[in-house]
Amino acid sequence: MRGRTAAPLWLLSAVAGVAVVATGLLAPTSAEAVLARVGPVLVFLVALTLLAELCESAGLFDLAADLAARLAGGRTWLLFGVVVALATTTTVLLSLDTTAVLLTPVVLTLCARLGLPPLPFAMATVWLANTASLLLPVSNLTNLLALRTLGLHPAEYAARALAPAVAAVVATVVVLAVRHRHELRGCYVVPAPRPVEDPVLLGAALAAVLGFATAVLAGADVPAAAVLAACALAAVAGVRRRALPSRSTWSRALPWRLVLTVTGLFLVVAAADERGLGRVTAAVAGEGGGFTDLLRLAATSAGAANLVNNLPAYLALEPAAGDAVPRLLAVLVGVNAGPLVLVWGSLATLLWRERCRARGLEVTARSFAVSGLVLVPVVLVAATAALALVGGGVGGGGGGG
């Protein structure tokens, strides 16, 4: 069942990517440039997924679930608040993909142990993984691309992104609370802590995650930090004779379908860009720096992200923004907070869905889209309004460098 569900997207994307190169729609030199740019993203994706698998086998997720349950003291609403705070914090500091991969298993483990409905908590992780990813450059790889384009210092970028980032998170929490208010009533019995099977391996898993976080916050190369953390924990797990992914489970442990999906999408979008996509997106996105202009650009970016994934969508919309900070931030609002209608809109959503399936929670593409159609307009309007209020207009938002 799982293979049949995932195959059409990754296979179609991979075949399309090969086709645009083989037919000459994308020049070989352009394809090489695309692969060079997407390569670090894919390395980060694989390393982070492996790190999550190893942390789960070490019992780190069970420990985090115990702590969250005790902190909330048996109140479901308070537990939901803890999950919201965790999802926002991990997204801002460690990227949306980290939230999707590392926090989702914690949340689903928690719900299973406490007998709580998993969907509200799972939706909180995936929605906030995307909508909370505006604030820092490391929060989303699209932010890193934008930072290089504008030449801003990370602190300056954060200052400009603060208002729309806060608005996006607040809007998401409000929609979550209203939509799932009935499921979040009541209390639960706080469970007794589970015994730790291997304290050494658990400590190594915690050290790997904290080390990754510290390296990222210190400005280290994000893919390199993820690879180092995953390899270090794998070495400890091997010494402790814990279960590393066997040959029969490597296909499940490593996100090769997602790698093929993203690579194919990048190649197809690059080919389309060489055939005039930039002119089309510029015409649709419009010009200007007022609220209506920025909302139009954010909505265009969100639509593109849902269709072709947020990373290639950012590359396609970046020229329409120019070097004006408010307009580029409007693109980021769209491609970061907007791709929550179609499941392939962002890597984080695809990673989250894989984690949900592994834990027995199936979220259909239709139900995900219906929920996203409720959330996305609210978030786009709120974040864009905040951006328009503090952005100072296009004329006052030029980039440096």
Side-chain angles (χ1 to χ4, degrees):
M1 179 71 69
R2 178 179 172 183
R4 288 197 298 272
T5 301
L9 177 60
W10 68 260
L11 183 59
L12 178 62
S13 180
V15 170
V18 172
V20 296
V21 177
T23 59
L25 291 174
L26 182 65
T29 54
S30 298
E32 290 177 5
V34 169
L35 294 177
R37 194 167 191 184
V38 74
V41 177
L42 300 179
V43 169
F44 171 71
L45 172 65
V46 172
L48 193 64
T49 303
L50 181 57
L51 178 63
E53 291 284 347
L54 293 168
C55 287
E56 183 171 13
S57 69
L60 184 61
F61 298 152
D62 288 331
L63 176 63
D66 285 340
L67 292 175
R70 291 199 296 274
L71 182 63
R75 290 162 288 184
T76 305
W77 263 109
L78 186 54
L79 179 64
F80 184 73
V82 172
V83 170
V84 165
L86 283 173
T88 302
T89 302
T90 56
T91 298
V92 169
L93 298 180
L94 298 176
S95 88
L96 73 169
D97 299 309
T98 304
T99 298
V101 174
L102 296 180
L103 187 59
T104 300
V106 174
V107 169
L108 295 179
T109 296
L110 191 61
C111 292
R113 292 191 63 193
L114 302 179
L116 299 175
L119 187 60
F121 295 88
M123 294 305 294
T125 60
V126 69
W127 279 5
L128 287 165
N130 288 274
T131 62
S133 67
L134 285 166
L135 183 58
L136 297 181
V138 73
S139 305
N140 197 317
L141 291 170
T142 55
N143 301 347
L144 291 173
L145 296 173
L147 192 69
R148 296 189 186 101
T149 299
L150 290 172
L152 293 175
H153 187 277
E156 185 180 2
Y157 167 86
R160 300 298 295 269
L162 178 61
V166 171
V169 170
V170 170
T172 302
V173 174
V174 169
V175 173
L176 280 166
V178 172
R179 189 170 178 81
H180 297 289
R181 61 191 181 279
H182 298 300
E183 297 150 288
L184 297 175
R185 293 175 178 171
C187 300
Y188 60 88
V189 177
V190 179
R194 290 186 177 183
V196 176
E197 295 183 6
D198 190 334
V200 173
L201 184 58
L202 178 62
L206 181 60
V209 173
L210 294 178
F212 171 64
T214 302
V216 168
L217 293 176
D221 181 73
V222 176
V227 170
L228 181 61
C231 290
L233 185 54
V236 175
V239 171
R240 302 295 297 178
R241 298 182 178 179
R242 305 297 292 182
L244 288 171
S246 64
R247 291 182 180 179
S248 63
T249 60
W250 273 112
S251 177
R252 178 184 63 84
L254 297 181
W256 59 271
R257 289 185 180 90
L258 300 186
V259 169
L260 292 176
T261 299
V262 174
T263 304
L265 288 172
F266 265 96
L267 293 172
V268 170
V269 170
D273 193 51
E274 289 192 352
R275 297 296 183 273
L277 176 63
R279 293 190 298 273
V280 174
T281 55
V284 175
E287 300 177 349
F291 168 69
T292 303
D293 302 312
L294 295 177
L295 183 59
R296 177 180 176 180
L297 180 55
T300 301
S301 303
N306 278 287
L307 290 175
V308 299
N309 187 268
N310 64 333
L311 288 170
Y314 171 81
L315 296 180
L317 269 297
E318 185 183 69
D323 64 351
V325 174
R327 284 187 61 81
L328 194 57
L329 285 175
V331 173
L332 291 177
V333 167
V335 300
N336 289 12
L340 285 168
V341 177
L342 301 182
V343 292
W344 55 79
S346 76
L347 285 178
T349 300
L350 292 171
L351 289 166
W352 167 84
R353 200 178 186 206
E354 289 292 311
R355 292 288 152 186
C356 288
R357 283 174 170 169
R359 295 286 179 140
L361 176 63
E362 181 65 35
V363 180
T364 66
R366 181 181 180 278
S367 65
F368 186 84
V370 170
S371 297
L373 287 172
V374 174
L375 173 72
V376 170
V378 177
V379 172
L380 291 185
V381 171
T384 306
L387 175 60
L389 286 173
V390 302
V394 174

